[in-house]
């Protein structure tokens, strides 16, 4: 029988911060989004205070003073590294793994002829011991059931962090499903939940027992597939290899309004460089690049302007120099002085595998080979010596436009100058 486990890091960003700062244990902690805007991770202590995901920090400040909430800036470099370590540990527990997001992955447990609840506890203990990250494990005969089991393991302490739905009798499983709102099902968002409510479907059990054909006619084949998954019929296969992206976008809001073209040049150069690295990582080339700039729609007192431009490339490429050259030309076409710009971004489009690239009749093959070697060398140095050890000069050095990170923790695992220090 097909069996999946979903392993999910608890309050992942907060847990990452606590790994290297144990003083945060038991204290209310929030991790804020770019420019310290709103809550993207909350400790259990903060959730108990009623703070919702996405709550702006300025709305929490009175509550923070009252309850001593500690606010930290996002440290994505640290989170990504600890995620990679966590996924490496989990890879030991199954030959089939799908990394679903930065803090969760599916493991396939087909044919494991032993107590899966006990195996889940071993997974939890190993991950926590080797990485410091607490996780919960949900086990089911489909990916949707594994997701649901993980929700139960996380929200109901009596399960001790591991829920194996396969260990329940049919009556026990139905009682559990009847106690969970349908909105907790993977893929059921607010709009779908409202439509299901109009059909008198309010709980997970209601959805499982609904007429699949009617669900398909009233909603979609995707929701019909969810019904089948809740019945234990696996419709979603494990994706061991993430499919190549069809578009790659890099953008950031500025830490402070930007008015000068020179600052915008630095920003779009940095974004284009980062996008090019991702493009080469998936062995693709881009046939077009889009650049955009915009003011903040939330500053109604400021003049508003938003514009973008797509630049077709004569030959598909992954060369950072060529992509930056195109994006800077595009920026000059859309830039207008006198505006307080809040955001800029770059999107790579018309992506195709580099191995099947068809050059134009007059392409210089020697120059293309030299470009490929240069980019390979640049990527290798940046991997070994740290991000932006080598960069395009127009990306600038001081970067006054960078996002605000007023309370960011050190990059304990990726920067030699910020390694944790142990004093005996």
């Amino acid at each position: 029988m097909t069996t999946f486990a979903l392993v999910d890091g608890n309050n992942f960003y907060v847990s990452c911060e606590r790994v290297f700062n144990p003083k945060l244990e038991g204290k209310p902690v929030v991790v804020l989004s770019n420019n310290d805007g709103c809550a993207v991770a909350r400790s259990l202590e903060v959730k108990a205070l009623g703070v919702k995901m996405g709550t702006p920090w300025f709305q929490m400040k009175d509550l923070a003073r009252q309850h001593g909430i500690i606010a930290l800036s996002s440290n994505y470099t640290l989170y990504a590294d600890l995620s990679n370590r966590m996924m490496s540990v989990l890879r030991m527990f199954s030959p089939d793994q799908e990394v679903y997001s930065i803090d969760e992955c599916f493991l396939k447990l087909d044919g494991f002829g032993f107590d899966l609840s006990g195996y889940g506890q071993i997974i939890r203990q190993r991950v926590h011991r080797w990485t410091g990250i607490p996780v919960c494990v949900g086990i089911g005969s489909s990916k949707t059931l594994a997701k649901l089991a993980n929700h139960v393991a996380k929200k109901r302490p009596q399960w001790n962090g591991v829920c194996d739905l396969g260990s329940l009798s049919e009556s026990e499983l139905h009682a559990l499903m009847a106690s969970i709102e349908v909105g907790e099902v993977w893929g059921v968002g607010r709009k779908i939940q409202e439509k299901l409510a109009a059909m008198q479907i309010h709980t997970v059990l209601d959805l499982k027992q609904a007429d699949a054909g009617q669900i398909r006619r009233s909603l979609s084949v995707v929701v019909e597939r969810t019904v089948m998954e809740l019945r234990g019929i696996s419709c979603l296969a494990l994706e061991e290899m993430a499919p190549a992206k069809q578009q790659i976008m890099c953008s950031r809001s500025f830490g402070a309004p930007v008015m000068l073209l020179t600052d915008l040049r630095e920003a779009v150069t940095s974004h284009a460089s980062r996008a090019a690295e991702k493009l080469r990582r998936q062995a693709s080339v881009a046939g077009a690049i889009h650049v955009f700039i915009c003011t903040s729609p939330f500053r109604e007192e400021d003049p508003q302007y938003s514009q973008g431009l797509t630049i077709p490339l004569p030959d598909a490429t992954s060369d950072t120099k060529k992509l930056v050259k195109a994006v800077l030309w595009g920026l000059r076409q859309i830039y207008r002085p006198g505006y307080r710009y809040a955001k800029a971004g770059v999107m790579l489009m018309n992506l195709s595998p580099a191995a099947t690239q068809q050059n134009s009749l007059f392409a210089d093959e020697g120059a293309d080979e030299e470009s490929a070697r240069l980019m390979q060398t640049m990527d290798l140095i940046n991997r070994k010596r740290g991000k932006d050890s080598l960069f395009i000069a127009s990306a600038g050095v001081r970067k006054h436009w960078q996002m605000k990170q007023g309370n960011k923790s050190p990059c304990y695992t990726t920067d030699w100058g910020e390694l944790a220090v142990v004093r005996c």
Side-chain angles (χ1 to χ4, degrees):
M1 186 179 74
T2 303
T3 306
F4 295 93
L6 179 70
V7 185
D8 184 11
N10 298 344
N11 313 313
F12 185 70
Y13 291 175
V14 171
S15 295
C16 290
E17 298 288 352
R18 285 173 167 172
V19 169
F20 292 96
N21 188 357
K23 293 180 180 178
L24 297 176
E25 289 288 349
K27 295 183 179 178
V29 179
V30 293
V31 174
L32 303 176
S33 62
N34 295 342
N35 292 310
D36 296 342
C38 55
V40 292
R42 303 153 296 153
S43 67
L44 292 176
E45 296 79 10
V46 171
K47 292 177 182 179
L49 295 174
V51 176
K52 304 296 183 183
M53 180 70 83
T55 301
W57 171 238
F58 74 88
Q59 293 182 5
M60 284 186 274
K61 286 189 174 180
D62 290 340
L63 190 68
R65 281 190 289 268
Q66 183 180 352
H67 296 279
I69 297 176
I70 300 169
L72 301 173
S73 304
S74 296
N75 187 344
Y76 297 118
T77 303
L78 175 66
Y79 310 151
D81 187 65
L82 287 181
S83 171
N84 290 335
R85 295 174 187 230
M86 185 177 88
M87 299 307 168
S88 296
V89 175
L90 292 172
R91 203 168 292 126
M92 301 175 183
F93 291 93
S94 172
D96 304 308
Q97 178 190 41
E98 176 190 338
V99 177
Y100 181 68
S101 70
I102 192 171
D103 64 344
E104 56 187 332
C105 81
F106 288 100
L107 301 175
K108 206 167 185 182
L109 304 181
D110 294 5
F112 283 46
F114 43 76
D115 174 28
L116 293 181
S117 294
Y119 195 57
Q121 291 296 344
I122 294 172
I123 292 173
R124 292 187 72 224
Q125 293 163 11
R126 179 79 59 83
V127 172
H128 191 262
R129 182 178 300 168
W130 287 18
T131 68
I133 303 295
V135 300
C136 285
V137 181
I139 301 170
S141 55
S142 69
K143 291 172 80 172
T144 301
L145 284 176
K147 267 274 196 179
L148 183 68
N150 187 275
H151 168 78
V152 172
K154 187 174 291 187
K155 299 295 184 182
R156 305 194 180 192
Q158 64 267 32
W159 288 90
N160 196 25
V162 178
C163 175
D164 176 14
L165 295 182
S167 66
L168 300 179
S169 66
E170 185 176 5
S171 59
E172 291 172 331
L173 179 60
H174 281 186
L176 179 64
M177 288 181 163
S179 68
I180 303 173
E181 289 187 2
V182 71
E184 299 296 343
V185 174
W186 186 28
V188 176
R190 180 177 56 82
K191 290 185 178 180
I192 293 178
Q193 186 176 3
E194 291 173 355
K195 292 178 181 179
L196 290 172
M199 301 167 65
Q200 301 304 309
I201 297 174
H202 303 286
T203 68
V204 178
L205 182 61
D206 292 339
L207 184 58
K208 177 186 176 181
Q209 296 178 336
D211 181 274
Q214 183 186 359
I215 291 293
R216 180 172 184 164
R217 290 189 296 271
S218 302
L219 294 169
S220 69
V221 68
V222 175
V223 186
E224 179 194 29
R225 190 183 300 139
T226 299
V227 173
M228 304 308 290
E229 287 252 323
L230 288 174
R231 294 174 182 175
I233 302 171
S234 179
C235 303
L236 301 172
L238 205 69
E239 293 184 2
E240 297 181 55
M241 183 70 69
K245 295 179 180 178
Q246 300 303 305
Q247 294 178 330
I248 295 176
M249 183 171 180
C250 288
S251 66
R252 284 287 185 274
S253 296
F254 300 131
V258 166
M259 300 188 70
L260 300 178
L261 178 61
T262 51
D263 290 332
L264 290 173
R265 281 170 51 89
E266 291 183 0
V268 299
T269 298
S270 295
H271 297 330
S273 300
R274 196 69 60 235
E277 289 177 10
K278 296 179 180 180
L279 184 68
R280 292 191 292 271
R281 198 176 302 144
Q282 71 172 40
S284 297
V285 290
I289 188 167
H290 181 82
V291 58
F292 70 88
I293 53 177
C294 61
T295 55
S296 172
F298 304 106
R299 295 180 61 92
E300 297 178 357
E301 68 276 15
D302 290 347
Q304 297 295 307
Y305 178 75
S306 177
Q307 189 59 270
L309 182 66
T310 299
I311 305 103
L313 301 170
D315 293 304
T317 184
S318 61
D319 188 319
T320 301
K321 306 189 309 303
K322 295 178 182 179
L323 294 170
V324 167
K325 182 178 180 180
V327 86
L328 291 180
W329 179 87
L331 176 65
R332 289 194 296 271
Q333 310 311 306
I334 62 176
Y335 171 74
R336 298 292 181 271
Y339 292 97
R340 295 164 62 87
Y341 294 101
K343 188 175 184 178
V346 166
M347 180 187 296
L348 301 182
M349 307 166 66
N350 299 349
L351 306 191
S352 59
T356 61
Q357 178 183 1
Q358 184 173 357
N359 291 325
S360 66
L361 180 62
F362 303 104
D364 186 342
E365 292 187 7
D368 289 343
E369 292 176 2
E370 183 178 332
S371 165
R373 288 197 299 271
L374 176 59
M375 293 299 105
Q376 185 178 14
T377 302
M378 186 175 180
D379 291 341
L380 179 62
I381 291 173
N382 284 332
R383 280 197 301 269
K384 293 187 70 172
R385 300 297 181 183
K387 188 175 73 173
D388 291 335
S389 295
L390 280 182
F391 59 89
I392 302 295
S394 57
V397 177
R398 296 183 180 178
K399 300 183 180 180
H400 304 291
W401 47 269
Q402 282 190 321
M403 64 180 181
K404 290 185 290 188
Q405 291 179 300
N407 196 20
K408 186 174 83 70
S409 57
C411 295
Y412 296 105
T413 61
T414 56
D415 190 322
W416 287 106
E418 298 183 358
L419 291 179
V421 177
V422 178
R423 293 183 174 87
C424 300

